Coordinates of all heavy atoms in Angstrom, one line a residue:
M1078 N 217.1 74.2 130.4 CA 215.9 74.5 131.1 C 215.9 73.9 132.4 O 216.2 72.8 132.5 CB 214.7 74.2 130.3 CG 214.4 75.1 129.2 SD 213.0 76.2 129.5 CE 213.1 77.2 128.0
S1079 N 215.4 74.5 133.5 CA 215.3 73.8 134.8 C 214.1 72.9 134.9 O 213.1 73.0 134.1 CB 215.1 74.9 135.8 OG 214.4 74.6 136.8
E1080 N 214.2 71.9 135.7 CA 213.1 70.9 135.9 C 211.9 71.7 136.5 O 210.8 71.3 136.4 CB 213.5 69.9 136.9 CG 214.5 68.8 136.3 CD 213.8 68.0 135.3 OE1 212.7 67.4 135.5 OE2 214.3 67.6 134.2
D1081 N 212.2 72.9 137.1 CA 211.0 73.6 137.6 C 210.0 74.0 136.6 O 208.8 74.4 137.0 CB 211.6 74.9 138.3 CG 212.4 74.5 139.5 OD1 212.2 73.4 140.0 OD2 213.1 75.4 140.0
N1082 N 210.4 74.0 135.4 CA 209.4 74.5 134.3 C 208.4 73.4 133.9 O 207.5 73.5 133.1 CB 210.1 75.0 133.1 CG 210.9 76.2 133.3 OD1 210.6 77.0 134.1 ND2 212.1 76.4 132.7
F1083 N 208.6 72.2 134.4 CA 207.7 71.1 134.2 C 206.6 71.2 135.2 O 206.8 71.1 136.4 CB 208.4 69.7 134.2 CG 209.2 69.4 132.9 CD1 210.5 69.8 132.9 CD2 208.7 68.7 132.0 CE1 211.3 69.5 131.7 CE2 209.5 68.3 130.8 CZ 210.7 68.7 130.7
V1084 N 205.3 71.1 134.6 CA 204.2 71.1 135.5 C 203.3 69.9 135.2 O 203.3 69.4 134.0 CB 203.4 72.5 135.2 CG1 204.2 73.7 135.7 CG2 202.9 72.6 133.8
P1085 N 202.5 69.3 136.2 CA 201.8 68.2 136.0 C 200.6 68.6 135.1 O 200.0 69.7 135.3 CB 201.3 67.8 137.4 CG 201.5 68.9 138.2 CD 202.6 69.8 137.6
A1086 N 200.3 67.7 134.1 CA 199.1 68.1 133.2 C 198.1 67.0 133.2 O 196.9 67.4 133.2 CB 199.6 68.2 131.8
L1087 N 198.4 65.8 133.6 CA 197.4 64.7 133.5 C 198.0 63.5 134.3 O 199.2 63.4 134.6 CB 197.4 64.1 132.1 CG 196.7 64.8 130.9 CD1 197.0 64.1 129.7 CD2 195.3 65.0 131.1
D1088 N 197.0 62.6 134.7 CA 197.5 61.3 135.2 C 198.0 60.5 134.0 O 197.4 60.6 132.8 CB 196.3 60.5 135.9 CG 196.0 61.1 137.3 OD1 196.9 61.8 137.8 OD2 194.9 61.0 137.7
E1089 N 199.0 59.7 134.2 CA 199.6 59.0 133.1 C 198.5 58.1 132.4 O 198.5 58.0 131.2 CB 200.7 58.0 133.7 CG 201.3 57.2 132.5 CD 202.3 56.2 133.0 OE1 202.7 56.2 134.2 OE2 202.8 55.4 132.2
A1090 N 197.6 57.5 133.1 CA 196.4 56.6 132.6 C 195.5 57.4 131.6 O 194.8 56.8 130.8 CB 195.7 56.1 133.7
E1091 N 195.5 58.8 131.6 CA 194.6 59.5 130.9 C 195.3 59.7 129.4 O 194.5 60.2 128.6 CB 194.4 60.9 131.5 CG 193.6 60.9 132.8 CD 193.4 62.2 133.4 OE1 192.5 62.8 133.0 OE2 194.3 62.6 134.2
L1092 N 196.5 59.4 129.3 CA 197.1 59.5 128.0 C 197.6 58.2 127.5 O 198.8 57.8 127.8 CB 198.3 60.6 128.0 CG 198.9 61.0 126.7 CD1 197.9 61.7 125.8 CD2 200.0 61.9 126.9
K1093 N 196.8 57.6 126.8 CA 197.2 56.2 126.4 C 198.2 56.3 125.2 O 198.2 57.2 124.4 CB 195.9 55.5 125.9 CG 194.8 55.4 126.8 CD 194.8 54.1 127.6 CE 193.7 54.0 128.6 NZ 194.1 54.0 129.9
D1094 N 199.0 55.2 125.1 CA 200.0 55.1 124.0 C 199.2 55.2 122.7 O 198.2 54.6 122.5 CB 200.7 53.7 124.1 CG 201.7 53.5 123.1 OD1 202.1 54.6 122.4 OD2 202.2 52.4 122.9
G1095 N 199.7 56.1 121.9 CA 199.2 56.3 120.5 C 197.9 57.3 120.5 O 197.3 57.4 119.5
S1096 N 197.7 58.0 121.6 CA 196.6 58.9 121.7 C 197.1 60.3 121.8 O 198.3 60.5 121.9 CB 195.6 58.5 122.7 OG 196.2 58.8 124.0
M1097 N 196.1 61.2 121.7 CA 196.5 62.7 122.1 C 195.3 63.2 122.9 O 194.3 62.7 122.9 CB 196.6 63.4 120.8 CG 195.5 63.4 119.9 SD 195.9 64.4 118.4 CE 194.4 64.3 117.5
K1098 N 195.7 64.2 123.7 CA 194.8 64.9 124.5 C 195.2 66.3 124.7 O 196.4 66.7 124.8 CB 194.9 64.2 125.9 CG 193.8 64.6 126.9 CD 193.4 63.2 127.6 CE 192.0 63.5 128.2 NZ 191.5 62.3 128.7
L1099 N 194.2 67.1 124.8 CA 194.3 68.6 124.8 C 194.3 69.0 126.4 O 193.4 68.5 127.1 CB 193.2 69.4 124.2 CG 193.2 71.0 124.2 CD1 194.5 71.4 123.5 CD2 192.0 71.5 123.7
V1100 N 195.3 69.7 126.8 CA 195.4 70.2 128.1 C 195.5 71.7 128.2 O 196.0 72.3 127.2 CB 196.5 69.5 129.0 CG1 196.3 68.0 129.0 CG2 198.0 69.8 128.4
H1101 N 195.1 72.2 129.3 CA 195.3 73.7 129.5 C 196.2 73.9 130.6 O 195.8 73.6 131.8 CB 193.9 74.3 129.6 CG 194.0 75.8 129.6 ND1 194.1 76.5 128.5 CD2 194.0 76.8 130.7 CE1 194.2 77.9 128.8 NE2 194.0 78.0 130.1
V1102 N 197.4 74.3 130.5 CA 198.5 74.5 131.6 C 199.1 75.8 131.4 O 199.5 76.2 130.2 CB 199.5 73.5 131.6 CG1 198.8 72.1 132.1 CG2 200.2 73.2 130.4
A1103 N 199.3 76.6 132.5 CA 200.0 77.9 132.5 C 199.3 78.8 131.4 O 200.1 79.5 130.8 CB 201.4 77.7 132.2
G1104 N 198.1 78.8 131.2 CA 197.4 79.6 130.3 C 197.6 79.3 128.8 O 197.2 80.0 128.0
K1105 N 198.1 78.2 128.6 CA 198.3 77.7 127.2 C 197.5 76.4 127.0 O 197.4 75.5 127.8 CB 199.7 77.4 126.9 CG 200.7 78.5 127.1 CD 202.1 78.0 127.0 CE 203.1 79.0 127.5 NZ 203.4 80.0 126.6
D1106 N 196.9 76.3 125.7 CA 196.3 75.0 125.3 C 197.5 74.3 124.5 O 198.1 74.7 123.6 CB 195.3 75.3 124.2 CG 194.0 75.8 124.9 OD1 193.8 75.4 126.0 OD2 193.2 76.5 124.2
I1107 N 197.7 73.1 125.1 CA 198.8 72.2 124.5 C 198.3 70.9 124.2 O 197.6 70.2 125.0 CB 199.9 72.1 125.6 CG1 200.5 73.5 126.0 CG2 201.1 71.2 125.2 CD1 201.5 73.5 127.1
L1108 N 198.5 70.5 123.0 CA 198.1 69.1 122.5 C 199.3 68.1 122.9 O 200.3 68.2 122.4 CB 197.8 69.1 121.0 CG 197.2 67.9 120.4 CD1 195.9 67.5 121.2 CD2 197.2 67.9 119.0
L1109 N 198.9 67.2 123.8 CA 199.9 66.1 124.2 C 199.6 64.9 123.4 O 198.5 64.5 123.2 CB 199.8 65.9 125.7 CG 200.0 67.1 126.6 CD1 199.9 66.6 128.2 CD2 201.6 67.4 126.5
T1110 N 200.7 64.2 123.0 CA 200.6 62.9 122.3 C 201.7 62.1 122.9 O 202.6 62.5 123.6 CB 200.9 63.1 120.8 OG1 202.3 63.5 120.7 CG2 200.0 64.1 120.1
R1111 N 201.3 60.7 122.8 CA 202.2 59.8 123.6 C 202.5 58.6 122.5 O 201.6 58.0 122.0 CB 201.4 59.2 124.7 CG 202.3 58.1 125.6 CD 201.5 57.8 126.7 NE 202.2 56.7 127.4 CZ 202.0 56.1 128.5 NH1 200.8 56.6 129.2 NH2 202.7 55.2 129.0
V1112 N 203.7 58.4 122.5 CA 204.3 57.2 121.6 C 205.1 56.4 122.6 O 206.2 56.9 123.0 CB 205.0 57.7 120.4 CG1 205.6 56.5 119.7 CG2 204.2 58.6 119.5
G1113 N 204.6 55.2 123.0 CA 205.3 54.4 124.1 C 205.3 55.3 125.3 O 204.3 55.8 125.8
N1114 N 206.6 55.4 125.9 CA 206.7 56.3 127.1 C 207.3 57.7 126.8 O 207.7 58.4 127.7 CB 207.5 55.6 128.1 CG 206.8 54.5 128.9 OD1 205.6 54.7 129.1 ND2 207.5 53.4 129.1
Q1115 N 207.2 58.0 125.5 CA 207.6 59.4 125.1 C 206.4 60.2 125.0 O 205.4 59.8 124.4 CB 208.3 59.4 123.8 CG 209.5 58.6 123.6 CD 210.1 58.7 122.3 OE1 209.6 58.1 121.4 NE2 211.2 59.4 122.1
V1116 N 206.4 61.5 125.5 CA 205.3 62.5 125.5 C 205.9 63.7 124.8 O 206.9 64.2 125.0 CB 204.8 62.9 126.9 CG1 203.8 64.0 126.8 CG2 204.3 61.6 127.5
F1117 N 205.0 64.1 123.9 CA 205.3 65.4 123.1 C 204.1 66.4 123.1 O 203.0 66.0 123.1 CB 205.5 65.0 121.6 CG 206.6 64.0 121.3 CD1 206.2 62.6 121.3 CD2 207.9 64.3 121.3 CE1 207.2 61.6 121.1 CE2 208.9 63.3 121.1 CZ 208.5 62.0 121.0
G1118 N 204.5 67.6 123.3 CA 203.5 68.7 123.3 C 203.7 69.6 122.1 O 204.7 70.0 121.9
V1119 N 202.5 70.0 121.5 CA 202.5 71.0 120.5 C 201.4 71.9 120.7 O 200.3 71.7 121.3 CB 202.4 70.4 119.1 CG1 203.6 69.6 118.6 CG2 201.2 69.5 118.8
S1120 N 201.5 73.1 120.1 CA 200.4 74.1 120.1 C 199.2 73.4 119.3 O 199.3 72.6 118.3 CB 200.8 75.4 119.5 OG 201.5 75.2 118.2
N1121 N 198.0 73.9 119.7 CA 196.8 73.3 119.2 C 196.2 73.9 117.9 O 195.3 73.4 117.3 CB 195.8 73.2 120.3 CG 194.6 72.3 120.0 OD1 194.8 71.3 119.4 ND2 193.5 72.7 120.3
I1122 N 196.7 75.0 117.7 CA 196.1 75.8 116.5 C 196.9 75.6 115.2 O 198.1 75.8 115.1 CB 196.1 77.4 116.8 CG1 195.5 77.7 118.2 CG2 195.5 78.2 115.7 CD1 194.1 77.5 118.2
C1123 N 196.2 75.2 114.2 CA 196.9 74.9 112.8 C 197.3 76.2 112.2 O 196.5 77.1 112.1 CB 195.9 74.2 112.1 SG 196.7 73.7 110.4
P1124 N 198.5 76.3 111.7 CA 199.0 77.6 111.1 C 198.4 77.8 109.7 O 198.5 78.9 109.2 CB 200.4 77.5 111.1 CG 200.8 76.0 111.2 CD 199.6 75.4 111.9
C1125 N 197.6 76.9 109.2 CA 196.9 77.0 107.9 C 195.8 78.1 108.0 O 196.0 79.2 107.6 CB 196.5 75.6 107.5 SG 195.5 75.8 106.0
K1126 N 194.7 77.7 108.7 CA 193.6 78.5 108.9 C 193.1 78.6 110.3 O 192.0 78.9 110.5 CB 192.5 78.1 107.9 CG 192.8 78.2 106.3 CD 192.7 79.6 105.9 CE 192.9 79.6 104.4 NZ 193.3 80.8 103.9
G1127 N 193.9 78.0 111.2 CA 193.5 78.0 112.7 C 192.5 76.9 113.2 O 192.0 77.1 114.3
C1128 N 192.4 75.8 112.4 CA 191.6 74.8 113.1 C 192.2 74.1 114.1 O 193.5 74.3 114.3 CB 191.4 73.7 111.9 SG 190.0 74.2 110.7
L1129 N 191.5 73.4 115.0 CA 192.0 72.8 116.2 C 192.5 71.5 115.9 O 191.9 70.6 115.5 CB 190.9 72.8 117.3 CG 190.4 74.1 117.7 CD1 189.3 73.9 118.7 CD2 191.5 75.0 118.2
L1130 N 193.9 71.2 116.1 CA 194.5 70.0 115.8 C 194.0 68.8 116.7 O 194.0 67.7 116.4 CB 196.0 70.1 115.9 CG 196.6 71.0 114.9 CD1 198.1 71.3 115.2 CD2 196.5 70.4 113.4
S1131 N 193.5 69.3 118.0 CA 192.9 68.2 118.8 C 191.7 67.5 118.2 O 191.3 66.5 118.7 CB 192.5 69.0 120.1 OG 191.7 70.0 119.9
K1132 N 191.1 68.1 117.2 CA 190.0 67.4 116.5 C 190.4 66.6 115.3 O 189.6 66.1 114.6 CB 189.0 68.6 116.1 CG 188.4 69.3 117.2 CD 187.1 69.9 116.9 CE 186.5 70.7 118.0 NZ 186.2 70.0 119.2
G1133 N 191.7 66.6 115.1 CA 192.3 65.8 114.0 C 192.7 64.4 114.5 O 192.0 63.9 115.4
K1134 N 193.7 63.8 113.8 CA 194.1 62.4 114.0 C 195.6 62.3 114.3 O 196.3 63.1 113.8 CB 193.7 61.6 112.8 CG 192.3 61.4 112.5 CD 192.0 60.5 111.4 CE 190.6 60.3 111.1 NZ 190.3 60.0 109.8
I1135 N 195.9 61.4 115.1 CA 197.3 61.1 115.5 C 197.6 59.6 114.9 O 196.9 58.8 115.1 CB 197.7 61.2 116.9 CG1 199.2 61.0 117.1 CG2 196.9 60.3 117.7 CD1 199.9 62.3 116.8
A1136 N 198.8 59.5 114.2 CA 199.3 58.2 113.8 C 200.8 58.3 113.9 O 201.5 59.0 113.3 CB 198.9 58.0 112.4
G1137 N 201.3 57.6 115.0 CA 202.7 57.6 115.2 C 203.1 59.0 115.7 O 202.4 59.5 116.6
Y1138 N 204.1 59.6 115.0 CA 204.5 61.0 115.4 C 203.8 62.0 114.6 O 204.2 63.2 114.6 CB 206.0 61.1 115.2 CG 206.8 60.2 116.0 CD1 207.4 59.1 115.5 CD2 207.0 60.4 117.4 CE1 208.3 58.3 116.4 CE2 207.7 59.5 118.2 CZ 208.4 58.5 117.6 OH 209.1 57.6 118.4
I1139 N 202.8 61.5 113.8 CA 202.2 62.6 112.8 C 200.8 63.0 113.3 O 200.0 62.0 113.3 CB 202.3 62.1 111.4 CG1 203.7 61.7 111.0 CG2 201.8 63.1 110.5 CD1 204.7 62.7 111.0
V1140 N 200.6 64.2 113.5 CA 199.2 64.6 113.8 C 198.7 65.3 112.4 O 199.5 66.1 111.8 CB 199.0 65.6 114.9 CG1 199.9 66.8 114.7 CG2 197.7 66.0 115.2
T1141 N 197.4 65.0 112.1 CA 196.9 65.6 110.9 C 195.7 66.5 111.2 O 194.8 66.1 112.0 CB 196.3 64.3 109.9 OG1 197.4 63.5 109.8 CG2 195.7 64.8 108.6
C1142 N 195.8 67.6 110.6 CA 194.7 68.7 110.9 C 193.4 68.1 110.2 O 193.4 67.6 109.0 CB 195.0 69.9 110.3 SG 193.8 71.2 110.6
P1143 N 192.2 68.3 110.9 CA 190.9 67.9 110.4 C 190.4 68.7 109.3 O 189.5 68.2 108.5 CB 190.0 68.0 111.6 CG 190.6 69.1 112.4 CD 192.0 69.0 112.3
C1144 N 191.0 70.0 109.0 CA 190.4 70.8 108.1 C 190.9 70.6 106.7 O 190.0 70.4 105.7 CB 190.6 72.3 108.5 SG 189.6 72.7 109.9
H1145 N 192.2 70.7 106.4 CA 192.7 70.6 105.1 C 193.8 69.5 105.0 O 194.6 69.5 104.0 CB 193.2 71.9 104.5 CG 192.2 73.1 104.8 ND1 192.4 73.9 105.8 CD2 191.1 73.4 104.1 CE1 191.3 74.7 105.8 NE2 190.6 74.3 104.8
G1146 N 194.0 68.8 106.1 CA 194.9 67.6 106.1 C 196.4 67.9 106.2 O 197.2 67.1 105.9
W1147 N 196.7 69.1 106.7 CA 198.1 69.4 106.9 C 198.7 68.4 108.0 O 197.9 68.2 108.9 CB 198.4 70.8 107.4 CG 198.2 71.8 106.3 CD1 197.6 71.7 105.1 CD2 198.9 73.2 106.2 NE1 197.7 72.9 104.4 CE2 198.5 73.8 105.1 CE3 199.7 73.8 107.3 CZ2 199.0 75.1 104.8 CZ3 200.1 75.1 107.0 CH2 199.8 75.8 105.7
E1148 N 199.8 67.9 107.8 CA 200.5 66.9 108.8 C 201.7 67.6 109.4 O 202.5 68.3 108.7 CB 200.9 65.7 107.9 CG 199.7 64.9 107.3 CD 200.2 63.8 106.5 OE1 201.2 63.8 105.7 OE2 199.5 62.8 106.8
F1149 N 201.8 67.4 110.7 CA 203.0 67.9 111.5 C 203.6 66.7 112.2 O 202.9 65.8 112.8 CB 202.4 68.9 112.5 CG 201.7 70.0 111.9 CD1 200.3 69.9 111.6 CD2 202.4 71.2 111.4 CE1 199.8 71.1 110.9 CE2 201.8 72.3 110.8 CZ 200.4 72.2 110.7
D1150 N 204.9 66.9 112.4 CA 205.6 65.9 113.2 C 205.6 66.4 114.7 O 206.2 67.5 114.9 CB 207.0 65.8 112.7 CG 207.8 64.6 113.3 OD1 207.7 64.4 114.6 OD2 208.7 64.0 112.7
V1151 N 205.0 65.7 115.5 CA 205.0 66.2 117.0 C 206.2 66.3 117.6 O 206.5 67.0 118.7 CB 203.9 65.4 117.8 CG1 202.5 65.5 117.3 CG2 204.4 64.0 118.0
R1152 N 207.3 65.6 117.1 CA 208.6 65.7 117.7 C 209.3 67.1 117.5 O 210.1 67.5 118.4 CB 209.6 64.6 117.2 CG 209.0 63.2 117.7 CD 209.8 62.2 116.9 NE 209.6 62.2 115.4 CZ 209.9 61.3 114.6 NH1 210.7 60.3 115.0 NH2 209.6 61.4 113.3
T1153 N 209.0 67.7 116.4 CA 209.6 68.9 115.9 C 208.6 70.1 115.8 O 209.0 71.2 115.6 CB 210.4 68.7 114.7 OG1 209.5 68.3 113.7 CG2 211.5 67.6 114.9
G1154 N 207.3 69.7 115.6 CA 206.4 70.7 115.3 C 206.4 71.0 113.9 O 205.5 71.8 113.3
Q1155 N 207.2 70.4 113.1 CA 207.4 70.8 111.7 C 206.3 70.3 110.7 O 205.8 69.2 110.9 CB 208.7 70.1 111.1 CG 209.2 70.6 109.8 CD 209.6 72.0 109.8 OE1 210.5 72.3 110.5 NE2 209.1 72.8 109.0
Y1156 N 205.8 71.2 109.8 CA 204.8 70.8 108.9 C 205.7 70.0 107.8 O 206.6 70.4 107.5 CB 204.3 72.2 108.3 CG 203.4 72.0 107.1 CD1 202.5 71.0 106.9 CD2 203.6 72.9 106.0 CE1 201.6 70.8 105.8 CE2 202.7 72.7 104.8 CZ 201.8 71.7 104.7 OH 201.0 71.5 103.6
L1157 N 205.0 68.9 107.4 CA 205.8 68.0 106.5 C 206.2 68.5 105.2 O 207.1 68.0 104.5 CB 205.2 66.6 106.5 CG 205.0 65.9 107.8 CD1 204.4 64.5 107.6 CD2 206.2 66.0 108.6
K1158 N 205.4 69.5 104.7 CA 205.5 69.9 103.3 C 206.5 71.0 103.1 O 207.2 71.2 102.0 CB 204.2 70.2 102.6 CG 203.4 69.0 102.3 CD 202.5 69.2 101.2 CE 201.7 67.8 100.8 NZ 200.3 68.2 100.5
T1159 N 206.5 72.0 104.1 CA 207.5 73.1 103.9 C 208.2 73.3 105.3 O 207.5 73.1 106.3 CB 206.8 74.4 103.4 OG1 206.1 74.9 104.5 CG2 206.0 74.2 102.3
K1160 N 209.3 73.9 105.2 CA 210.0 74.2 106.5 C 209.6 75.5 107.2 O 209.8 75.7 108.3 CB 211.6 74.2 106.2 CG 212.2 72.9 105.8 CD 213.5 72.8 106.5 CE 214.2 71.5 106.0 NZ 213.5 70.2 106.3
E1161 N 208.8 76.3 106.4 CA 208.4 77.6 106.9 C 207.4 77.5 107.9 O 207.2 78.5 108.7 CB 208.0 78.5 105.7 CG 209.0 78.9 104.7 CD 209.4 77.9 103.8 OE1 208.6 77.2 103.3 OE2 210.7 77.7 103.6
K1162 N 206.6 76.5 108.0 CA 205.5 76.5 108.9 C 205.7 75.3 110.0 O 206.2 74.3 109.6 CB 204.2 76.0 108.2 CG 203.8 76.9 107.0 CD 203.1 78.1 107.5 CE 202.6 79.0 106.3 NZ 202.0 80.2 106.7
R1163 N 205.5 75.8 111.2 CA 205.7 74.8 112.2 C 204.8 75.1 113.4 O 204.3 76.3 113.5 CB 207.1 74.7 112.8 CG 207.7 75.9 113.2 CD 209.1 75.8 113.5 NE 209.4 74.8 114.4 CZ 210.4 74.0 114.4 NH1 211.4 74.1 113.5 NH2 210.6 73.0 115.3
L1164 N 204.6 74.1 114.3 CA 203.9 74.4 115.6 C 204.9 74.7 116.7 O 206.1 74.2 116.6 CB 203.1 73.1 115.9 CG 202.2 72.5 114.9 CD1 201.7 71.2 115.4 CD2 201.1 73.5 114.6
M1165 N 204.4 75.3 117.7 CA 205.3 75.4 118.9 C 205.4 74.0 119.5 O 204.4 73.3 119.4 CB 204.5 76.4 120.0 CG 204.5 77.8 119.6 SD 206.0 78.7 119.8 CE 206.2 78.4 121.6
T1166 N 206.5 73.7 120.1 CA 206.6 72.5 120.9 C 207.0 72.6 122.2 O 207.5 73.7 122.7 CB 207.8 71.6 120.1 OG1 209.1 72.4 120.3 CG2 207.5 71.3 118.8
Y1167 N 206.5 71.7 123.0 CA 206.7 71.6 124.5 C 207.3 70.2 124.9 O 206.6 69.2 124.4 CB 205.4 71.9 125.2 CG 204.8 73.2 124.8 CD1 204.0 73.2 123.7 CD2 205.0 74.4 125.4 CE1 203.3 74.5 123.4 CE2 204.4 75.5 125.1 CZ 203.6 75.6 124.1 OH 203.0 76.8 123.6
R1168 N 208.2 70.1 125.7 CA 208.8 69.0 126.0 C 207.8 68.2 127.0 O 207.3 69.0 127.9 CB 210.1 69.0 126.7 CG 211.2 69.4 125.6 CD 212.6 69.2 126.1 NE 212.9 70.0 127.3 CZ 213.9 69.8 128.1 NH1 214.8 68.8 127.9 NH2 214.1 70.6 129.2
G1169 N 207.7 66.9 127.0 CA 206.9 66.2 127.9 C 207.6 65.1 128.6 O 208.6 64.6 128.0
E1170 N 207.1 64.6 129.7 CA 207.7 63.4 130.4 C 206.7 62.8 131.2 O 205.7 63.4 131.7 CB 209.0 63.7 131.1 CG 208.8 64.6 132.3 CD 210.1 64.8 133.1 OE1 211.1 64.8 132.5 OE2 210.1 65.0 134.3
I1171 N 206.9 61.5 131.5 CA 206.1 60.8 132.4 C 207.0 60.5 133.6 O 208.1 60.0 133.5 CB 205.6 59.4 131.8 CG1 204.8 59.7 130.6 CG2 204.9 58.5 132.8 CD1 204.3 58.5 129.8
K1172 N 206.4 60.7 134.8 CA 207.2 60.5 136.1 C 206.2 60.2 137.2 O 205.2 61.0 137.3 CB 208.0 61.7 136.4 CG 209.1 61.5 137.3 CD 210.0 62.8 137.2 CE 210.5 63.2 138.6 NZ 211.2 64.5 138.5
D1173 N 206.4 59.2 137.9 CA 205.5 59.0 139.2 C 204.1 58.9 138.8 O 203.3 59.4 139.5 CB 205.8 59.9 140.2 CG 207.3 59.9 140.7 OD1 208.0 58.9 140.6 OD2 207.9 61.0 141.1
G1174 N 203.8 58.4 137.6 CA 202.3 58.3 137.2 C 201.6 59.4 136.8 O 200.4 59.4 136.6
K1175 N 202.4 60.5 136.6 CA 201.9 61.7 136.0 C 202.5 62.0 134.7 O 203.7 61.7 134.5 CB 202.1 62.9 136.9 CG 201.4 62.8 138.3 CD 200.1 63.7 138.3 CE 199.5 63.6 139.5 NZ 198.1 63.7 139.5
V1176 N 201.9 62.8 133.8 CA 202.4 63.4 132.7 C 202.8 64.8 133.0 O 201.9 65.6 133.4 CB 201.5 63.3 131.4 CG1 202.0 64.0 130.2 CG2 201.0 61.9 131.2
Y1177 N 203.9 65.3 132.7 CA 204.4 66.6 132.9 C 204.7 67.2 131.6 O 205.1 66.6 130.6 CB 205.7 66.7 133.7 CG 205.5 66.3 135.2 CD1 205.5 64.9 135.6 CD2 205.4 67.2 136.3 CE1 205.2 64.5 136.9 CE2 205.2 66.8 137.5 CZ 205.1 65.5 137.8 OH 204.9 65.2 139.2
V1178 N 204.5 68.6 131.5 CA 204.8 69.2 130.4 C 205.6 70.5 130.7 O 205.3 71.1 131.8 CB 203.5 69.6 129.5 CG1 202.6 70.5 130.3 CG2 203.9 70.3 128.2
E1179 N 206.6 70.8 129.9 CA 207.4 71.9 130.2 C 206.8 73.3 129.6 O 206.4 73.3 128.3 CB 208.8 71.8 129.5 CG 209.8 72.9 129.9 CD 211.1 72.7 129.2 OE1 211.2 72.4 128.0 OE2 212.0 72.9 129.9
V1180 N 206.6 74.3 130.4 CA 206.0 75.5 130.0 C 207.0 76.6 130.2 O 207.8 76.5 131.0 CB 204.7 75.8 130.7 CG1 203.6 74.9 130.4 CG2 204.8 75.9 132.2
F1181 N 206.9 77.6 129.3 CA 207.9 78.7 129.3 C 207.2 80.0 128.9 O 206.1 79.9 128.4 CB 209.1 78.4 128.5 CG 208.8 77.9 127.1 CD1 208.4 78.7 126.1 CD2 208.7 76.5 127.0 CE1 208.1 78.1 124.9 CE2 208.4 75.9 125.8 CZ 208.1 76.7 124.7
Ligands
LIG1428 S1 193.4 74.7 109.1 FE1 194.7 73.0 109.3 S2 195.1 72.2 107.3 FE2 193.9 74.0 107.0

């Protein structure tokens, strides 16, 4: 993918280490999480019953849905219990004080 697909989403200071933030870029709701200087983006809708993951919790690389506790790895989007369910993933990066996310 070309670097052209990365668009600015936030100032770096708005996404603290260990936190998550919902952004709306290129017509998509993307949940960004940060672990150190790594940024990961996933879709915000839980594939269980459609709850918003942005209202859940993040711990390390794992986001937990607030409704029924499904857990997903933000690095891969994978639901931890079965391989059949997963979130869309979006690459993120921090550059020049901004958080960028790759949209396609
Ligand atoms: S809606 Fe997310 S776990 Fe059920």
